[in-house]
Amino acid sequence: MYPSKHMAITRKIKVSESGLPKVGSPLDDTQYGQHTDALAKYINAKVAKYAKKPIATLKTVKSKNDVKGLLRIAKAEYKGVFKSMQTGVSRKIATAMFDGADKLTNTGRLRRDGSRKTVIEGLTKNVEFYTEAYFRRIVEPKLKSFVAKNKDSATFKKDFDALVKKSLTQAGNYWANVSDTVAGRSFHYGLLKGAEGKGHTGFELVAVIDQRTTPFCRSIHGKRFLIKDALEDIEELSLLRGKDVQHGPWALVSEGKASITEMKKEGFITPPFHCSCRTRVVVI
């Protein structure tokens, strides 16, 4: 996806006294965990509220065998879901970014940097893609199966409507994963922008080592990278569209298909590396 451009920092650099965890210090959960939770909670609440609205009429579908027509109507419901929460999602992503910058008391630099808007808009677009992907990958197969088995039912339209709405409110874990991805990228963009403004050039990845640690996070524990590379990567990741979003580096690690070399090549060197990732960034 991207050319291999990262180079590990080999020279000795004094660890920042900015209030960030020092290497070897006790670590709790992810620094951006509160933003993941806030975004996931917001999305779930908006989806639940939207699910109570009257759904699109099925009268335009002349036949129960018109599967494409039924799916088109159901898909329109999901597009409506994203539109109803787009502004709020964007604000939550921005809040995570400024909180990251605030870890180094450097939000002023971030406010003056026009690239932050591009990243926020891009990550919001990523959420839109994941919203549509949920319908395509998870809901659509269920609806197709339902139509095939129940098209002769006397309560077909009512039951189809109910299934569409039920599907909207059964994606809690899915939204948590999506929130983890975008909140993590936004937080670290702000953190590293703030660090760059303070004169820092690199960072170290520090994993929480215990029985829950994934093989990948064990393998990257203690690795050092350049801040400018990480910022460029997050900017590029926020601009991914379509299937490139779904098959990005985060997904590769989740599927156990990525090595450190592959991750450098793909262009992704900041957490989260997978769902519920606890690896931290320590500015150096």
Side-chain angles (χ1 to χ4, degrees), residues 4 6 8 205 215-225 249 253 257-269 273:
S4 181
H6 307 296
L205 295 175
F216 180 80
C217 285
R218 286 182 187 275
S219 70
I220 51 83
H221 176 64
K223 301 298 181 182
R224 292 184 172 187
F225 300 96
V253 175
K257 298 179 180 178
S259 64
I260 297 175
T261 300
E262 289 169 335
M263 290 301 287
K264 287 182 181 179
K265 183 179 179 181
E266 290 289 340
F268 194 30
I269 52 178
F273 296 114

Side-chain angles (χ1 to χ4, degrees), residues 25-259:
S25 63
L27 302 175
D28 52 18
D29 285 337
T30 53
Q31 295 167 293
Y32 52 89
Q34 61 179 323
H35 299 290
T36 292
D37 295 341
L39 182 57
K41 183 178 180 180
Y42 174 78
I43 293 176
N44 277 308
K46 293 295 288 187
V47 168
K49 183 177 180 180
Y50 191 87
K52 294 179 181 180
K53 295 173 60 177
I55 70 165
T57 179
L58 296 180
K59 292 180 180 179
T60 57
V61 181
K62 297 179 181 180
S63 169
K64 296 175 184 176
N65 293 318
D66 184 6
V67 179
K68 289 185 178 180
L70 290 166
L71 294 177
R72 185 170 58 251
I73 290 173
K75 187 174 183 178
E77 291 296 301
Y78 279 83
K79 285 185 176 295
V81 169
F82 176 75
K83 288 180 181 179
S84 73
M85 62 187 184
Q86 182 175 2
T87 300
V89 166
S90 181
R91 287 174 178 169
K92 297 289 184 186
I93 291 172
T95 298
M97 186 180 292
F98 278 101
D99 186 51
D102 193 47
K103 297 298 179 185
L104 287 97
T105 60
N106 203 11
T107 57
R109 174 181 170 82
L110 184 61
R111 292 185 187 281
R112 295 189 297 272
D113 195 318
S115 62
R116 67 176 171 84
K117 293 183 179 179
T118 300
V119 174
I120 292 170
E121 290 172 2
L123 292 176
T124 302
K125 281 288 185 182
N126 286 177
V127 176
E128 180 180 20
F129 167 79
Y130 282 119
T131 303
E132 295 178 351
Y134 178 75
F135 174 83
R136 184 176 61 255
R137 296 170 54 201
I138 300 174
V139 179
E140 188 171 306
K142 291 181 180 180
L143 296 179
K144 286 182 176 179
S145 176
F146 174 84
V147 172
K149 295 177 181 179
N150 301 277
K151 61 183 179 180
D152 296 324
S153 169
T155 58
F156 174 79
K157 289 186 177 181
K158 178 180 178 181
D159 294 340
F160 184 85
D161 291 356
L163 180 58
V164 172
K165 288 305 182 184
K166 184 178 180 181
S167 299
L168 280 172
T169 56
Q170 288 187 333
N173 289 336
Y174 185 87
W175 300 129
N177 292 344
V178 170
S179 298
D180 203 24
T181 305
V182 297
R185 289 175 183 173
S186 185
F187 176 90
H188 286 105
Y189 190 78
L191 176 71
L192 295 176
K193 270 290 184 183
E196 186 180 55
K198 293 282 188 177
H200 299 280
T201 57
F203 65 93
E204 182 167 343
L205 295 175
V206 181
V208 178
I209 305 298
D210 56 25
Q211 68 276 13
R212 293 168 50 201
T213 309
T214 63
F216 180 80
C217 285
R218 286 182 187 275
S219 70
I220 51 83
H221 176 64
K223 301 298 181 182
R224 292 184 172 187
F225 300 96
L226 295 174
I227 288 176
K228 68 179 184 65
D229 287 341
L231 292 173
E232 288 174 4
D233 289 343
I234 296 174
E235 289 169 1
E236 290 176 351
L237 286 165
S238 71
L239 296 177
L240 292 180
R241 296 291 179 266
K243 293 182 179 179
D244 287 337
V245 177
Q246 182 175 321
H247 299 294
W250 191 84
L252 292 176
V253 175
S254 297
E255 296 167 5
K257 298 179 180 178
S259 64

